[in-house]
Amino acid sequence: MTYPMKIRATVNGDVADIKVLIEHPMDTGQAKDPKGNIIPEHFIQNVVATHNGKTVLDAQWSQAISRNPFFAFRVKGAKAGDKIQVSWVDNQSNRGSVDAVIQAA
């Protein structure tokens, strides 16, 4: 199953602001569907971001993160034209990835 992602990367000086939105259900395993059946856990476990191939963020998530998570981070030493890649893996082995080229602010 594919989950769309959006990314925006801009640089001001030598600091890039990266904003990412992942469309994902992030089910906790505690909610029930309209028929009363428990919806199984389905959440992102690992998020990794790279700047020109170098890891700048490696986050371990759990079911405590909200549906369709949005997160932002900054990268020092960046410049316009650099490449940012953000990828994730969930507890059902689904994967997602998105690339962006840093734009001048």
Side-chain angles (χ1 to χ4, degrees):
M1 178 172 262
T2 57
Y3 297 98
M5 295 177 68
K6 294 179 184 177
I7 186 169
R8 182 168 296 167
T10 58
V11 67
N12 189 358
D14 73 338
V15 178
D17 288 311
I18 317 300
K19 298 177 182 179
V20 182
L21 174 67
I22 305 171
E23 291 185 29
H24 194 282
M26 299 299 288
D27 292 315
T28 65
Q30 298 176 352
K32 294 183 179 181
D33 65 17
K35 294 183 179 180
N37 300 315
I38 293 180
I39 300 169
E41 288 183 336
H42 186 196
F43 58 91
I44 295 172
Q45 290 183 311
N46 182 254
V47 177
V48 175
T50 62
H51 170 233
N52 290 335
K54 180 182 174 190
T55 300
V56 292
L57 174 99
D58 189 348
Q60 306 299 312
W61 286 0
S62 69
Q63 56 274 58
I65 305 294
S66 68
R67 177 183 316 244
N68 300 328
F70 170 83
F71 64 100
F73 59 97
R74 289 185 166 169
V75 176
K76 284 185 126 182
K79 61 185 182 300
D82 286 357
K83 183 179 174 185
I84 296 288
Q85 181 180 52
V86 178
S87 58
W88 57 265
V89 178
D90 70 17
N91 67 322
Q92 295 182 1
S93 298
N94 296 310
R95 298 174 180 276
S97 181
V98 67
D99 296 336
V101 174
I102 298 174
Q103 304 295 318

